[in-house]
Structure formats: C-alpha cells, structure tokens
Amino acid sequence: MPNSDEVFAVVTEHLGGNHVQLRCEDGKERLGRIPGRMKYRTWIEPDDIVVAEPWDWQDEKATIEWRYTGQDADQLRREGHID
C-alpha cells in the first residue's frame, strides 16, 4: 500500500531504458523512472499496477517503488483500492 507521498499508477507505455509513461490515480500523466534496484530484477510492462512516488521538485516525474503481480492487482481491485 502506498505511503502518504506515494500513489497507485498504471503503466501505459514503455519508453525504453529505465523510463515508462504512468497514469496516476490523482489524474496526472507522469514520466516514471525504474530505479537500478528494480531494473533487471523486476520486469515492468504496460498495464502493470505500480506504486510511484512523485518527485518533490518536478511533479511531472515519479520514481517507481513497487510493482504488483496480477493476483495482487486483482485483490486491490476487489478491495476497492484501485479501479
């Protein structure tokens, strides 16, 4: 579950390298950055549900903190946390 400074987001497009396009639950489109600790261990693809932390100094960008598996995303939908 996201902290107070994090939001749920859906990956809409993989832009190459360690960047993806995100549609966040607060209604904003952001450029998401996949950190090095996740880059080769966790594959992030379009339509994945992630937790993103928007940058303080550039609100149009965010760092991906966690990717939910398909089963976990379904559970979040059933509980009403995401649409």
Side-chain angles (χ1 to χ4, degrees), residues 39-82:
K39 190 172 181 181
Y40 298 111
R41 294 177 182 90
T42 304
W43 293 106
I44 296 178
E45 299 180 7
D47 297 326
D48 281 347
I49 304 295
V50 298
V51 172
E53 182 177 356
W55 293 2
D56 294 336
W57 60 95
Q58 282 183 306
D59 193 47
E60 68 274 3
K61 295 183 181 179
T63 301
I64 295 175
E65 297 295 331
W66 187 261
R67 180 187 65 90
Y68 287 99
T69 63
Q71 290 179 343
D72 292 338
D74 291 340
Q75 178 72 25
L76 289 171
R77 285 185 187 95
R78 280 194 301 273
E79 293 175 359
H81 297 293
I82 58 175

